[in-house]
Amino acid sequence: MSARKARKSGDGTTGLRSVAGQVFALEALIALLVIAAAVFVVFHQAQRDTERDARIRSLSVAEAFAHAPGVDEALTSPDPTALLQARAEATRLATGVDFIAVLSPAGVRFTDSQPELIGRVATGDLTRATVDGESFTELFRGAPNDAVRAVVPVVDEQGKIVGMVSSGIEVESISDALRGRLPLLAGAAAGALALAVGGAGLVSRRLRRQTHGLGPAEMTRMKEHHEAVLHAVREGVLIVGPDHRLLLANDEARRLLGLSAEAERRHVSELGLDPRTVELLTSGRAATDEVHRAGDRLLAVSVRPTLTGGADSGSVMTMRDTTELAAVTGRAAVARGRLQLLYEAGVRIGTTLEVVRTAEELAEVAVPRFADFATVELLEPVLRGEEPPADAGTMTEMRRTAMSGLRPDQPLQPVGETIRFEVTGAPMAVALAAGHAVAQPELAAAEAWRAQDPEGAAQALAYGMHSLLTVPLLARGVVLGMANFWRADTPEPFGDEDLSFAEELAARAAVAIDNARRFTREHAMAVTLQRSLLPRVLPDQSAVEVAYRYLPAKAGVGGDWFDVIPLPGARVALVVGDVVGHGLHAAATMGRLRTAVHNFSTLDVPPDELLGHLDELTGRIDHRESEGPDAEGRRREEGITGATCLYAIYDPASGRCAVASAGHPGPALVGPDGKVEFPELAPGLPLGLGLGDAPFETTELVLPEGSKLVLFTDGLLEDRARDLDTGLTLLRSTLARRDRSPEQTCADVLATLLSSSPSDDIALLVAETRLLDRERIAEWEVVRDPSAVSPVRNAAAAKLSEWGLDGLAFTAELILSELITNAVRYGADPVRVRLLHDRTLICEVSDGSSTSPHLRHATTTDEGGRGLYLVAQYAERWGTRYGRRGKTIWAELRVDDTDAGPMAATVVPDLDALEDLAW
């Protein structure tokens, strides 16, 4: 037994000579030192915690007492001690502090836990409380005892410091508390030491089993074996010491970094590594899979410190070659970027329906993520909105429409110039002929491109342009233009992998450009149609002075319209309307409605009846549109329902204006004094939504001479940033300005209310009223007796002589005789005659009957039937209008017609004899 023990002791595999024994001794020593340090730290930490707790408690108690109700008042009383001593002592006992003292601003104690100190001045620096008004805590050393105390100023309602409250815990009390913890701390340290030694024993036993009792020599040999394995792995490993010198580099690291055998013990900055790699190794920071360059290789580098949290720690760097992986990843990143760019192109190109703006958006999208400079050239017909020619691929010139670049000082031809590509071998000509994108990687070697424009090519090359990719813009198989992408700052030239992307980008842009072109064409057609349907010249009339404005919407022509229609009796009809929607259909519908209003106005009916006829016509049209298999869709697209109209008739003889609305905003009325009103009208429903026999109502207004009647469509008032009420307010304030002509009024209204990009059409009609001179109006009431015809006729002749119209006397007397005779014989009371001297001489005969006479062609044997025939022959025009009760037959004569008429040269019967002619 003793021999075996001696042998085991001698071979160094057991006891303290083994690695496990040495580890046990070291761990036990470390545990002892750690526990001693921990006890020391815990004791001092407990001392700091106790002191901090004393500070917090002292400050809380002092602040609570200082802010307690009545303390400030007690301090300003004659005897603060009597009021506060008992209260302070009770608070001290309740809170567990050693003392509470109430002090005057000068530091004199009013209260104290030791009554003999009352009246004495407290020691220490109290200026922070008395001067700065600051609450603070401190470790006070001095009489009567060392203590942790808090001082809080007491402030009255006026913000004046009237005293202080000091509370605290004596240092001796804190020390007593710490001494009470020492037995527990010593017991815990002993227990921890026992556990540490026991744990070290367990670790030693486990280590002995794992190392099989090996000593240091055996462990050294094991290390050598591990180094052999380290050099055999296919991942580079570098170990750098705290002084940033290379300690170890395995074979793979030497191969990847090109290190020589003498590299070890040299500073990493002397190894010829990439500067980024040197910075990483010397910075001491950790890294995971950072990509660093080593010659022509890309390495994924990871770095970890050899000692965690140590300032003198070295670092271990592992690396692996990822050159091929990076190439694949780079191609994937480029593909992702191209897909993202295509997505953005779909969003950013075609935001407007303007050809030029769409071309600009294409150029802006391509720069800088695909090209350094981009230009877009379009065919002239495309810019005008016309169909491009079928042989556009053979054209040799286009108009430069858009340009974008990294810098403004580019050498390319500016926007607006004609770009020619007549040399067949030039990239633009080749791309047009082939119908697909063409890349020119080296512009300096492109002889055909240089031959096209030698001077411009030389400037481009001198500027740095080195690569070009050109692609035709194709839509529906037809060439619209070209897109050219240039590179100057980007070193990589365009390659074959860029062609498909350029074609996809150009295809998306071409569709947007073609849509904009078609919209431009339709918009131009709609504008042309609408302008042809709107009145070009207002008719001559004396009732009102008229000015107007019409502005189509930016987004598309709508169906707003206006009209001025002369009516018999020197009257005038003012019309404004609005058709729902935009485009050709809205313009065509507007033309249909305007024509219908013109036709219905010849009936000379009140405004409500005219709108009733118009509503009925609209309903019939919509009903006819709704027949057939695709009725519903056609009705939505081509129906009229929803159109609005305002119709007003102004009579200058009476100054009355009759107005009716079919769902349209009412007019604005501006008085001669500048007062603006919006008369209330029965609104009515839009056309096509009739309510029955009388869906509309007429409102009569009396307009003094010089009033302005302002008719408009809702596009004038409403906009994206303005509601109807705001628009009415602006319109009222604009119209309130006095002494302006209708033309000036139109200009001022548009200057105030017109937005930069109106979303709806605007129609504005301003009519300044006039009154017919009373001296130019003659009226008579006729008794229903044939004998009363002659006196009225003679009175009319005298009035014409007074007006200087003797040349019209015979014709007027003839017409009046026929009309009055008819009213006396076949009409009903009352019978009235009126002459109006305006631009024409207007003869009117009214009676209470609604029976209308008809023009007849009498035979030679007929005794009558020639009355209206004579009226039609002599009058410029004639007709019948109906009122609420009765009718009026009118005839107009030209005042500049001094001839006696078509029968002047013939024998005419006596006028009294004509009265016997039958109708």
Side-chain angles (χ1 to χ4, degrees), residues 895-916:
V895 296
D896 58 349
D897 188 1
T898 57
D899 296 334
M903 299 181 64
T906 62
V907 178
V908 181
D910 182 70
L911 291 178
D912 292 328
L914 286 174
E915 295 174 6
D916 296 329

Side-chain angles (χ1 to χ4, degrees), residues 84-107:
L84 297 176
Q85 173 64 22
R87 187 172 177 181
E89 190 63 17
T91 303
R92 181 185 69 81
L93 295 175
T95 57
V97 297
D98 290 336
F99 63 88
I100 296 179
V102 180
L103 312 176
S104 71

Side-chain angles (χ1 to χ4, degrees), residues 61-63 65-67 71-72 75 80 84 88 100-112 120-136 138 149-156 160-167:
V61 171
E63 286 186 339
F65 194 87
H67 298 140
V71 174
D72 55 342
L75 284 170
L84 297 176
I100 296 179
V102 180
L103 312 176
S104 71
V108 178
R109 290 184 175 90
F110 288 143
T111 69
D112 200 279
R120 297 185 182 180
V121 178
T123 58
D125 185 9
L126 302 176
T127 57
R128 293 171 60 186
T130 58
V131 177
D132 300 335
E134 177 184 352
S135 300
F136 65 91
E138 63 179 355
R149 72 174 181 180
V151 181
V152 176
V154 179
V155 182
D156 61 8
K160 179 181 178 183
I161 298 175
V162 296
M164 296 173 286
V165 176
S166 174
S167 68

